C-alpha cells in the first residue's frame, strides 16, 4: 500500500506544474484540476482518495463546500447516529471538537498512508466527511451503497464566511485579504473546491438521479427548522427517531447540544486547535464565527450583491437551489 501511495504522490508531483494557477486565499496559490480549484495539498488528498479510498456500503459521508456548515453537520450527524450510545450529560461533543470525531477522507488518507487510513473508533457505521466535489469523488463512493448528505449554503454567506476565515489564518506578516479580491476570485470560481455553484449542482444532480443515495440539505433550512431537518437526516441515514424520541426531549436535546450557542461556548472550542496536517492547523474557535444567515448584508456592496445574485440565478436555473 505504501508503494501505491508513492505512485499517486509521484503523479501529483508531476502534474502540479502543468496545471492552471491562480492567486490563493491564504498563502498558497490554487491550481485547477479537472475544472476544480484546489490548494496543491488539497489536490494530493483528492488524488489519494481517488486511488485508495475504499468505501463501505454502510458509510455515511457528509459532503460540503468549505464554510457551508461542515462543523455543525458533523456534530448533528454524530449526535443522531450515537444518540443511544452516550448520555447527553457526558457526551463526547462537550469535550471534543466535531472535526476530531468525524474526519475528512482527503485529509486522513494523506496523514496515515500505510495503515487503514479511515478509522473511526467513535461510531459504526463509519461517519466520514469530504469537501471533494461530486465529479472528483472516488469511484468506490459513487458505486457503493453508501449514503451522502450534502449541505449547501447561500453563496453570499459562504463567500463572507470564507473570506473571514482565511483572513484569520493568514500569517501576521501578510496584509489582510481585501473583500474586493475575495469577491472577484469567488465569482470566477477560484475558491477552495470551487466553483461553489458546480459543487452544489454536482450533488444536486446526483440526488435527483439517486434520491436514496444523496440527500441535499441547506444550512438555511437547518437553521430555520432544526427539528424537522434532524428528523429528515435521521430517516435518510437509516437511524429514524422512534415516537418516544420525537415527542420526548431527545430531539430537543440534540438541537441544543449542536446549537451554535452551546458549541461555541465550550472550552474545547474556545481554546483547542485542529491540527489537520503538519503544516495546517486551525484554532477551533475559527469554526465558530456568527452562525447566522444573512451576514452578507453587513459586508457586500449593492453592486457585489447584484453580480452574485445574477451568477447564482443563472447557474442554479432549472434546479431547486434558490438563494
Ligand atoms: P459564519 O462564518 O457565517 O459564522 P464550516 O463548519 O463548514 O467551516 O462552516 C463554518 C460556518 O458555520 C461559520 O459560519 C460558523 O459560524 C458556522 N457554524 C459553526 N457551528 C455552527 C452551529 N453549531 N450552528 C450554526 N452555524 C454554525
Amino acid at each position: 500500500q505504501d508503494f501505491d501511495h508513492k505512485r499517486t504522490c509521484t503523479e501529483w508531483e508531476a502534474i502540479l506544474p502543468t496545471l492552471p494557477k491562480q492567486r490563493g486565499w491564504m498563502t498558497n496559490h490554487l491550481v485547477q484540476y479537472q475544472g476544480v480549484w484546489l490548494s496543491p495539498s488539497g489536490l494530493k488528498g483528492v488524488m489519494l482518495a481517488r486511488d485508495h479510498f475504499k468505501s463501505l456500503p454502510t458509510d455515511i459521508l457528509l459532503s460540503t463546500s468549505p464554510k457551508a456548515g461542515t462543523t455543525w453537520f458533523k456534530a448533528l450527524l454524530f449526535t443522531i447516529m450515537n444518540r443511544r450510545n452516550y448520555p447527553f450529560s457526558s457526551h463526547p461533543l462537550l469535550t471534543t471538537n466535531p472535526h476530531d470525531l468525524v474526519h475528512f477522507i482527503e485529509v486522513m488518507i494523506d496523514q496515515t498512508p500505510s495503515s487503514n487510513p479511515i478509522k473511526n473508533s467513535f461510531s459504526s457505521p463509519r461517519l466520514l466527511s469530504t469537501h471533494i466535489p461530486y465529479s472528483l469523488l472516488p469511484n468506490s463512493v459513487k458505486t457503493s451503497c453508501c449514503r451522502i448528505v450534502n449541505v449547501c449554503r447561500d453563496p453570499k454567506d459562504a463567500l463572507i464566511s470564507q473570506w473571514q476565515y482565511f483572513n484569520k489564518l493568514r500569517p501576521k506578516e501578510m496584509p489582510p485579504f481585501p473583500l474586493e479580491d475575495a469577491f472577484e476570485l469567488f465569482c470566477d470560481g477560484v475558491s477552495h473546491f470551487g466553483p461553489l455553484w458546480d459543487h452544489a449542482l454536482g450533488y444536486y444532480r446526483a440526488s435527483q438521479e439517486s434520491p436514496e443515495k444523496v440527500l441535499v440539505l441547506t444550512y438555511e433550512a437547518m437553521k430555520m427548522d432544526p427539528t424537522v431537518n434532524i428528523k429528515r437526516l435521521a430517516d435518510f441515514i437509516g437511524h429514524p427517531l422512534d415516537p418516544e424520541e420525537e415527542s420526548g426531549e431527545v430531539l430537543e436535546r440534540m438541537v441544543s447540544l449542536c446549537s451554535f450557542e452551546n458549541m461555541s461556548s465550550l472550552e474545547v472550542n474556545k481554546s483547542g486547535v485542529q491540527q489537520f496536517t503538519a503544516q495546517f492547523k486551525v484554532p477551533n474557535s475559527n469554526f465558530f464565527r456568527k452562525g447566522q444567515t444573512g451576514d452578507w448584508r453587513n459586508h457586500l456592496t449593492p453592486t457585489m450583491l447584484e453580480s452574485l445574485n445574477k451568477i447564482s440565478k443563472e447557474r442554479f436555473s432549472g434546479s431547486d437551489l434558490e438563494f
Side-chain angles (χ1 to χ4, degrees):
Q1 185 165 13
D2 253 352
F3 170 74
D4 283 348
H5 273 250
K6 278 208 188 97
R7 211 169 46 194
T8 306
C9 292
T10 309
E11 190 196 330
W12 167 69
E13 278 162 13
I15 204 175
L16 258 185
T18 70
L19 299 174
K21 260 191 193 180
Q22 270 277 15
R23 186 183 162 194
W25 293 53
M26 235 176 351
T27 41
N28 255 329
H29 58 272
L30 297 183
V31 294
Q32 192 184 35
Y33 177 75
Q34 299 187 359
V36 179
W37 288 98
L38 299 157
S39 67
S41 60
L43 173 62
K44 188 164 147 219
V46 167
M47 292 174 77
L48 285 168
R50 175 199 68 190
D51 293 349
H52 309 291
F53 177 69
K54 305 258 177 320
S55 175
L56 300 175
T58 48
D59 285 346
I60 306 294
L61 180 62
L62 169 67
S63 77
T64 55
S65 50
K67 305 300 122 196
T70 320
T71 316
W72 187 20
F73 277 76
K74 281 184 175 187
L76 287 165
L77 285 165
F78 182 88
T79 306
I80 294 168
M81 287 169 72
N82 292 288
R83 64 185 185 273
R84 292 175 192 146
N85 298 342
Y86 306 108
F88 283 99
S89 56
S90 57
H91 197 280
L93 276 169
L94 295 173
T95 49
T96 322
N97 178 271
H99 294 289
D100 282 318
L101 296 172
V102 186
H103 300 131
F104 289 105
I105 58 176
E106 59 273 23
V107 176
M108 282 303 290
I109 205 149
D110 194 11
Q111 294 308 299
T112 48
S114 55
S115 55
N116 173 5
I118 313 291
K119 289 210 199 92
N120 194 332
S121 53
F122 286 95
S123 67
S124 174
R126 299 189 303 183
L127 171 57
L128 303 164
S129 118
T130 189
H131 284 324
I132 303 177
Y134 190 80
S135 62
L136 293 183
L137 276 183
N139 255 339
S140 85
V141 172
K142 291 186 183 168
T143 52
S144 92
C145 310
C146 74
R147 269 167 273 192
I148 303 175
V149 173
N150 175 252
V151 183
C152 296
R153 188 176 188 187
D154 182 337
K156 302 189 284 300
D157 281 336
L159 160 64
I160 296 303
S161 187
Q162 287 185 23
W163 168 62
Q164 300 263 3
Y165 173 82
F166 286 113
N167 245 330
K168 280 190 207 137
L169 294 179
R170 272 162 92 90
K172 294 280 169 288
E173 57 279 12
M174 281 177 82
F177 187 38
L179 177 58
E180 291 70 23
D181 294 16
F183 173 80
E184 205 169 300
L185 287 171
F186 187 82
C187 290
D188 288 343
V190 189
S191 56
H192 291 253
F193 299 90
L196 181 115
W197 297 273
D198 291 352
H199 199 287
L201 283 166
Y203 284 99
Y204 170 79
R205 289 186 188 125
S207 80
Q208 294 293 104
E209 266 173 39
S210 313
E212 69 298 334
K213 182 174 173 73
V214 184
L215 174 73
V216 173
L217 281 181
T218 65
Y219 180 97
E220 290 74 21
M222 187 57 83
K223 198 76 200 170
M224 190 135 75
D225 198 341
T227 50
V228 164
N229 286 292
I230 285 178
K231 277 191 265 172
R232 281 185 72 191
L233 271 182
D235 286 343
F236 177 76
I237 63 172
H239 291 253
L241 275 69
D242 62 32
E244 268 164 44
E245 288 174 318
E246 270 192 39
S247 59
E249 56 174 27
V250 170
L251 188 51
E252 227 170 84
R253 292 196 78 167
M254 290 199 285
V255 174
S256 59
L257 175 65
C258 299
S259 70
F260 182 84
E261 291 66 29
N262 182 50
M263 297 209 64
S264 59
S265 69
L266 298 169
E267 196 48 46
V268 63
N269 294 328
K270 286 200 283 196
S271 57
V273 172
Q274 239 354 273
Q275 185 88 45
F276 285 115
T277 67
Q279 297 80 28
F280 188 51
K281 64 175 184 193
V282 180
N284 286 342
S285 58
N286 282 21
F287 295 105
F288 305 92
R289 193 182 62 94
K290 285 201 165 176
Q292 291 167 7
T293 55
D295 186 42
W296 58 264
R297 289 190 177 83
N298 299 316
H299 301 280
L300 296 183
T301 65
T303 324
M304 287 172 167
L305 174 63
E306 197 182 325
S307 312
L308 255 185
N309 277 343
K310 187 161 171 269
I311 300 174
S312 295
K313 202 167 173 214
E314 277 169 17
R315 295 302 320 276
F316 289 153
S317 78
S319 79
D320 303 325
L321 299 168
E322 278 174 27
F323 294 99

